[in-house]
Amino acid sequence: MTTQKIDIAGKLAGFTERWAPRRIARVNDYEVKVAKVRGEFVWHTHEDTDELFLVVAGTLTIRLREGDVVLGPGEMYVVPRGTEHCPAADEEAHILLFEPSGTTNTGTAGGDRTREPVDA
């Protein structure tokens, strides 16, 4: 990690893989990650932590059992711990995530979409 300013758009331009978070910073015991997303992810829960989604570009829908939350650029939503959710995007969206270090992207669901974040 660096103590320099971070160009979020530049970090996002450095990869093409979708649903594969890239770590761009650490804040105490938390990680700041960026990802490119398109299509539907998996329904999952993070039992022990909230999860912050900030849309950088595009539109992200966070599906919840009680209704969808649709986010555009500059908008964010915090999924409360223990809340089942499924991120989705009809077109490619770029997002920033803020969550405790070691948080698994697929939460309790696991499966082939599980990815360890790598440094961007």
Side-chain angles (χ1 to χ4, degrees):
M1 292 293 125
T2 179
T3 58
Q4 307 269 325
K5 68 180 180 179
I6 297 169
D7 176 1
I8 295 170
K11 294 292 187 182
L12 283 158
F15 64 95
T16 58
E17 187 178 6
R18 294 185 179 133
W19 300 110
R22 300 296 198 272
R23 185 176 30 246
I24 62 170
R26 293 180 195 269
V27 180
N28 299 314
D29 296 334
Y30 284 76
E31 294 177 334
V32 180
K33 304 171 195 171
V34 292
K36 293 181 177 180
V37 300
R38 184 174 182 182
E40 185 173 278
F41 198 50
V42 296
W43 281 94
H44 65 285
T45 304
H46 301 283
E47 293 297 336
D48 299 323
T49 186
D50 302 333
E51 186 175 25
L52 182 148
F53 290 85
L54 170 69
V55 175
V56 176
T59 301
L60 178 72
T61 300
I62 301 175
R63 297 194 172 122
L64 304 169
R65 295 299 182 190
E66 60 273 6
D68 294 348
V69 177
V70 179
L71 303 172
E75 296 180 321
M76 63 179 252
Y77 181 75
V78 177
V79 177
R81 70 186 67 205
T83 301
E84 190 177 27
H85 60 287
C86 178
D90 291 335
E91 300 296 326
E92 184 171 272
H94 299 173
I95 62 173
L96 183 141
L97 302 155
F98 186 73
E99 54 199 5
S101 297
T103 300
T104 304
N105 66 327
T106 53
T108 57
D112 63 355
R113 287 258 176 113
T114 301
R115 298 281 187 283
E116 288 293 321
V118 296
D119 292 336

